[in-house]
């Protein structure tokens, strides 16, 4: 099964997508990312490097919120958001959204 992964970042303060945010995908405890992408104008990372094969296991996404906030001249209490998640191969697609505000964030398993 070819498993795909996407992410979507929304700014809860403005109600708009977060464009230009660096997002890195890692195997759970790896030091080197599998890939690093930048959210598009819609705040999405919908495609990772085609050479990546996702399989059952634990991964993490690191969102460089501090650099984005600095570039946008915005307050940011959490300069990096790290989300660990598991792929169990029960679905062909996994979606990890991030809802971001200056002093908090939230996530969930999307579809």
């Amino acid at each position: 099964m070819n498993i795909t992964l996407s992410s979507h970042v929304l700014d809860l303060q403005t109600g708009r997508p977060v464009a230009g945010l660096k997002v890195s995908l890692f195997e759970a405890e790896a030091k080197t990312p599998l890939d690093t992408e930048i959210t598009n104008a819609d705040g999405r990372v919908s495609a990772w490097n085609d050479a990546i094969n996702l399989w059952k296991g634990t991964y993490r996404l690191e969102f460089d919120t501090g650099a984005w906030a600095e570039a946008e001249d915005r307050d940011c209490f959490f300069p990096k958001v790290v989300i660990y998640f598991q792929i169990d191969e029960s679905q062909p697609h996994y979606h990890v959204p991030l809802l971001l505000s200056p002093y908090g964030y939230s996530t969930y398993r999307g579809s």
Side-chain angles (χ1 to χ4, degrees):
M1 173 188 318
N2 185 23
I3 297 172
T4 59
L5 173 68
S6 62
S7 186
H8 191 195
V9 186
L10 296 171
D11 182 339
L12 292 177
Q13 184 177 13
T14 64
R16 302 179 62 85
V18 173
L21 179 81
K22 183 172 84 169
V23 184
S24 297
L25 171 65
F26 296 81
E27 290 183 57
E29 301 305 322
K31 295 194 184 306
T32 304
L34 295 169
D35 193 15
T36 297
E37 298 291 335
I38 304 295
T39 56
N40 64 20
D42 195 31
R44 296 180 184 274
V45 174
S46 55
W48 298 92
N49 183 328
D50 289 337
I52 295 173
N53 291 314
L54 299 175
W55 57 88
K56 184 177 181 175
T58 303
Y59 295 85
R60 79 179 189 271
L61 287 172
E62 292 189 1
F63 298 83
D64 193 356
T65 51
W68 172 81
E70 184 176 338
E72 296 289 317
D73 195 28
R74 303 272 305 272
D75 289 337
C76 180
F77 185 70
F78 297 101
K80 184 177 282 190
V81 173
V82 179
I83 301 170
Y84 284 83
F85 63 98
Q86 293 183 359
I87 290 178
D88 61 12
E89 297 180 324
S90 65
Q91 304 292 319
H93 180 73
Y94 290 79
H95 183 67
V96 182
L98 176 65
L99 306 175
L100 186 60
S101 74
Y103 303 103
Y105 64 89
S106 179
T107 188
Y108 57 94
R109 181 179 174 177
S111 57

